[in-house]
Amino acid sequence: MLIPHRTSDVEESVLPPDYQRILASVRQAAGPVMARQVGELLRVDVSVRAKLEPLRGKLVRLVDRGWLRKLPDGRFTTRL
């Protein structure tokens, strides 16, 4: 699955639906969020590490492609 880099001519709609839901969850939060909080918003069983780690990987992939920002304390937030 190819996650495009964020540029001025790339719309969020090109992202796969699960990545769009992750972005929407981070935006909906009152501030920076941990992966566990995003999982709770998406109704992922966050008590099971095997379910939380793939979500964390998707969050990091969105950071790497410029869609999100990761703060030094490990929380995720939208790009400014």
Side-chain angles (χ1 to χ4, degrees):
M1 176 177 341
L2 180 65
I3 306 303
H5 283 82
R6 181 178 179 203
T7 61
S8 60
D9 61 334
V10 177
E11 297 290 326
E12 182 179 316
S13 61
V14 302
L15 294 172
D18 52 337
Y19 285 85
Q20 290 180 32
R21 285 191 297 275
I22 291 169
L23 280 176
S25 297
V26 173
R27 280 195 192 103
Q28 154 186 3
V33 291
M34 298 297 288
R36 179 174 301 279
Q37 293 169 290
V38 175
E40 289 168 352
L41 289 170
L42 296 174
R43 298 184 179 171
V44 172
D45 185 0
V46 296
S47 66
V48 179
R49 185 177 179 114
K51 302 232 181 207
L52 187 59
E53 287 308 311
L55 173 61
R56 188 181 321 278
K58 288 178 180 180
L59 285 160
V60 169
R61 193 168 298 119
L62 287 168
V63 169
D64 292 343
R65 303 300 196 285
W67 293 95
L68 291 177
R69 215 169 44 128
K70 186 174 181 182
L71 302 176
D73 63 1
R75 296 180 298 161
F76 297 89
T77 187
T78 56
R79 303 275 315 165
L80 297 175

